[in-house]
């Protein structure tokens, strides 16, 4: 994600480091990535919710379940960053 180039990059996620969209990535591509990531997050949350309600292994193994939810949180932040970058890129392209 960090491209060695002099072109400007767009941050899409900050954890302990900053992750950026590659220069030249268009808003459509960023939007598609964000939608894909959001769909994965939705599936994770739905799976965990059902697993906890049904008293499955997820309810008995709370630490792995919490790690799964933390991963979903990071993916959601990445999806949000990609959507924000897509929005900024789209506005830049639309500007005269």
């Amino acid at each position: 994600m960090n491209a060695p180039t002099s072109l400007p990059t767009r941050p899409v996620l900050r954890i302990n480091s900053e992750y950026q969209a590659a220069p030249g990535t268009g808003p459509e591509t960023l939007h598609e990535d964000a939608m894909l990531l959001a769909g994965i997050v939705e599936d994770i949350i739905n799976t965990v919710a059902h697993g906890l309600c049904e008293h499955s292994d997820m309810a008995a193994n709370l630490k792995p379940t919490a790690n799964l939810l933390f991963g979903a949180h990071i993916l959601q932040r990445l999806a949000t960053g990609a959507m924000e970058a897509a929005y900024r890129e789209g506005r830049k392209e639309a500007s005269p």
Side-chain angles (χ1 to χ4, degrees), residues 6-86:
S6 61
L7 294 173
T9 58
R10 298 171 309 258
V12 293
L13 178 66
R14 287 181 183 92
I15 306 173
N16 293 323
S17 184
E18 183 176 273
Y19 299 87
Q20 302 180 5
T25 304
E28 298 86 14
T29 302
L30 289 163
H31 189 254
E32 288 171 6
D33 287 353
M35 289 176 51
L36 176 69
L37 291 165
I40 294 167
V41 170
E42 182 179 338
D43 289 344
I44 291 170
I45 292 170
N46 190 38
T47 299
V48 171
H50 280 93
L52 292 175
C53 288
E54 295 171 3
H55 304 290
S56 68
D57 289 341
M58 285 188 178
N61 297 294
L62 293 180
K63 186 172 181 179
T65 302
N67 287 338
L68 186 62
L69 289 173
F70 179 74
H73 171 73
I74 295 298
L75 288 174
Q76 182 61 46
R77 287 176 53 197
L78 182 56
T80 299
M83 285 295 289
E84 290 169 352

